[in-house]
Amino acid sequence: MKIKEILQATKGKLIQGNEEEEINEFCRDTRILKKGDTYIGIRGENFDGNALWEKAFESGADTVILQGIDFSKENLEKYQNENIIVVEDTIEALADIATYRRMLFGKDFPVIGVTGSVGKTSTKDIIYSVVSQKYNALKTQGNMNNHIGMPMTILGLRDHEALVVEMGMNHFGELSKLTAIAKPTIAVITNVGTAHIGNLGSRKNILKAKLEILEGLQQGGTAVINNDNDLLHKWYLENKQYQIVTYGINNDSSNMAENIEYNETGSKFVLKPDDEQIDVPVGGEAFVYNSLAAISVGKLLNIPLAEIKEGIKKFELSKMRLDIQKTEQGYTIINDCYNANYDSMKSAIEYLKNIEGKRKIAVLGDMLELGEYSKELHEKVGLEVAKNKIDILITVGKEAENIARVAKNNGIEHVYTFDNNKDATEKLKKIIAVDDVALIKASNSMNFKEIVESLLKH
């Protein structure tokens, strides 16, 4: 892209510089900025990145895109050989540039948008692995799935032939904005659960918010949905105006898993209607569903089934999403501490139950953004701990005390509650032993990575 294209996309003003100059890499963090990058200053709740524009030039940036900065004559003279673009709002400008860049690749350029209450990142990862068997694909790194992260991913498009983007939301209208930028050709909805129910008020509203992804779907595009999710199944039966591909285990679907076998290192199942065995390198039912989503996308992109199978077999999880680590002391840690809601807790606890190990230990913390549903959903997690006969439960946080109470009342003998990570970690270190398996999971702001890091040093 040339600077004049950025000016056209953003209606920005070039304070000084050359509008014919080409822009290659975009960066919003001066700590990782490389020579020749274009720096975008982002104003957050606690910090204004626009104020670091001089540091960006000192770090090697050729161009800055800023808002709300008054430039002195001395400043302009000092950086007279650099490009300075001023816009009304840099976050809006970021969206505008990403929208422009997306459309440079054409409406038929494969863009797979992935959303859902749980499993977005792992589903995105496995879809990317499948798509990469045929295409030079770009994917969202980690969970950069919001109004800043997703556009930054799109700005990374170069000679790519396909794009797999994760789309997250907390409130109504957020997916509308993301899908308007990405304009997906395939929209995947993994499920509708209880994440952010405190913001949205009901699962019915969560469904409505997730379906916003279809607003930006390219004409002739396809929705891919989990047909075993109750709300998505009902929606599918009532909305035949869309082109829809379904996947599932229980309800009759376009792509189905039968004869599922779980083991310590993964699972395998027979794909219907193809009668082909699919090998999944990560265990648990959730990853059977993720694989079915990837198969559905692969078929839509006319990827041969043999290559789809290979993509599933080779996929790698983003870090802190069921990241399994064997320690020198002989016990295993399941690091799933990036985020937590009832659906992902349930899935992780079932995974813990099925993995091979001497004792199963669950270290669970508060799930946030649940509002008036918080007590009820934490109690439901406690029931899952009991149902899966977890040997030891350690909880951290006020809300997680509800997990502990219900688990104890339903037969779990060894239950310990703490109000901070340090005390919980010390207890865990005293009781964990060779061949034990410990699941570490909570909402990200609980900072459970502290527990993981301490255990790995233990």
Side-chain angles (χ1 to χ4, degrees):
M1 296 173 70
K2 291 187 175 181
I3 285 179
K4 65 181 180 183
E5 292 178 276
I6 289 176
L7 297 175
Q8 177 188 333
T10 63
K11 298 180 174 59
K13 182 180 179 183
L14 184 62
I15 300 296
Q16 67 177 27
N18 177 11
E19 67 174 23
E20 293 295 328
E21 193 164 318
E22 289 203 349
I23 299 295
N24 292 308
E25 301 286 340
F26 293 83
C27 183
R28 62 185 182 96
D29 187 341
T30 57
R31 294 169 299 181
I32 58 173
L33 188 145
K34 304 184 298 298
K35 185 172 176 55
D37 282 358
T38 292
Y39 175 72
I40 304 180
I42 300 294
R43 180 178 291 168
E45 288 183 18
N46 305 312
F47 184 77
D48 187 0
N50 292 280
L52 296 178
W53 68 275
E54 287 189 86
K55 182 168 176 30
F57 279 142
E58 291 164 9
S59 299
D62 288 342
T63 304
V64 294
I65 302 174
L66 307 168
Q67 72 176 74
I69 299 294
D70 293 322
F71 300 96
S72 67
K73 184 180 177 182
E74 291 76 20
N75 279 336
L76 293 178
E77 285 180 359
K78 182 177 180 182
Y79 299 106
Q80 60 184 302
N81 296 322
E82 317 298 351
N83 306 299
I84 299 176
I85 299 170
V86 171
V87 296
E88 191 171 320
D89 185 312
T90 50
I91 292 177
E92 290 297 325
L94 179 61
D96 292 337
I97 299 167
T99 302
Y100 182 88
R101 183 145 191 86
R102 157 65 182 102
M103 292 316 295
L104 289 177
F105 286 77
K107 60 183 175 59
D108 296 325
F109 178 73
V111 176
I112 300 94
V114 183
T115 194
S117 292
V118 66
K120 290 185 295 294
T121 300
S122 51
T123 303
K124 173 259 302 180
D125 287 337
I126 199 166
I127 288 173
Y128 169 79
S129 187
V130 166
V131 172
S132 295
Q133 299 304 303
K134 179 178 179 180
Y135 298 93
N136 174 19
L138 176 69
K139 72 169 179 174
T140 302
Q141 293 302 309
N143 70 308
M144 288 176 58
N145 62 18
N146 66 4
H147 63 298
I148 296 171
M150 195 205 73
M152 289 298 295
T153 297
I154 292 174
L155 294 182
L157 284 169
R158 295 290 173 272
D159 58 347
H160 298 98
E161 301 164 322
L163 173 67
V164 184
V165 284
E166 181 180 334
M167 299 184 185
M169 46 71 64
N170 299 326
H171 300 88
F172 284 121
E174 292 176 345
L175 273 183
S176 293
K177 292 179 181 177
L178 296 182
T179 193
I181 297 168
K183 297 179 176 62
T185 55
I186 299 172
V188 180
I189 307 178
T190 62
N191 48 55
V192 176
T194 57
H196 314 301
I197 197 168
N199 296 333
L200 292 161
S202 69
R203 288 185 68 226
K204 187 177 179 181
N205 281 345
I206 294 171
L207 170 67
K208 186 178 177 183
K210 297 297 181 190
L211 290 172
E212 289 176 4
I213 193 174
L214 302 180
E215 294 171 11
L217 192 63
Q218 293 280 11
Q219 190 170 1
T222 304
V224 174
I225 66 162
N226 177 350
N227 201 29
D228 286 349
N229 181 266
D230 57 343
L231 294 185
L232 286 173
H233 177 67
K234 183 174 184 291
W235 173 83
Y236 164 65
L237 295 176
E238 297 171 352
N239 290 271
K240 298 300 184 181
Q241 72 269 36
Y242 294 98
Q243 186 171 309
I244 302 171
V245 169
T246 58
Y247 63 90
I249 297 172
N250 303 313
N251 291 324
D252 189 30
S253 303
S254 312
N255 296 293
M256 297 191 69
E258 293 185 354
N259 304 324
I260 304 170
E261 295 180 24
Y262 300 104
N263 56 56
E264 183 189 0
T265 56
S267 63
K268 60 183 179 180
F269 61 86
V270 175
L271 174 66
K272 295 292 184 176
D274 306 79
D275 280 326
E276 285 276 347
Q277 180 176 306
I278 307 295
D279 295 306
V280 187
V282 180
E285 185 180 74
F287 286 90
V288 173
Y289 280 109
N290 295 349
S291 300
L292 289 169
I295 290 165
S296 301
V297 170
K299 286 183 176 182
L300 285 169
L301 295 176
N302 297 312
I303 300 174
L305 190 54
E307 293 179 23
I308 291 174
K309 290 169 65 174
E310 189 66 17
I312 291 170
K313 194 181 291 186
K314 286 181 174 178
F315 104 99
E316 295 180 358
L317 278 169
S318 292
K319 289 298 181 186
M320 292 201 300
R321 306 280 180 155
L322 283 179
D323 182 19
I324 301 166
Q325 296 167 283
K326 190 91 171 177
T327 69
E328 292 178 0
Q329 292 76 23
Y331 53 80
T332 300
I333 299 169
I334 304 173
N335 176 5
D336 194 18
C337 62
Y338 173 73
N339 217 336
N341 53 61
Y342 167 69
D343 306 276
S344 65
M345 281 279 200
K346 180 176 184 291
S347 177
I349 291 164
E350 288 172 351
Y351 182 76
L352 175 63
K353 175 198 173 185
N354 290 320
I355 195 170
E356 188 173 321
K358 187 176 178 183
R359 294 182 303 175
K360 310 300 174 62
I361 304 170
V363 184
L364 308 178
D366 288 353
M367 303 180 292
L368 306 179
E369 296 184 356
L370 298 178
E372 64 184 280
Y373 297 89
S374 185
K375 182 172 181 287
E376 174 192 345
L377 291 171
H378 282 85
E379 288 174 342
K380 286 179 73 175
V381 171
L383 288 174
E384 290 298 321
V385 171
K387 186 173 85 173
N388 288 281
K389 296 182 169 56
I390 302 305
D391 297 295
I392 299 169
L393 172 65
I394 295 174
T395 68
V396 181
K398 192 69 180 170
E399 297 298 324
E401 289 178 9
N402 293 301
I403 301 175
R405 174 176 47 78
V406 170
K408 194 164 190 175
N409 290 344
N410 284 272
I412 301 299
E413 185 178 350
H414 303 290
V415 177
Y416 308 95
T417 61
F418 299 94
D419 57 15
N420 63 76
N421 294 346
K422 185 174 181 293
D423 292 344
T425 304
E426 290 307 311
K427 182 64 177 179
L428 181 56
K429 285 179 178 179
K430 287 177 183 175
I431 59 179
I432 198 165
V434 174
D435 295 332
D436 286 347
V437 184
L439 166 68
I440 318 292
K441 188 167 180 63
S443 282
N444 193 31
S445 58
M446 294 295 289
N447 203 23
F448 265 29
K449 64 182 181 182
E450 285 182 340
I451 299 177
V452 173
E453 289 166 358
S454 183
L455 278 178
L456 291 175
K457 294 173 186 172
H458 179 39

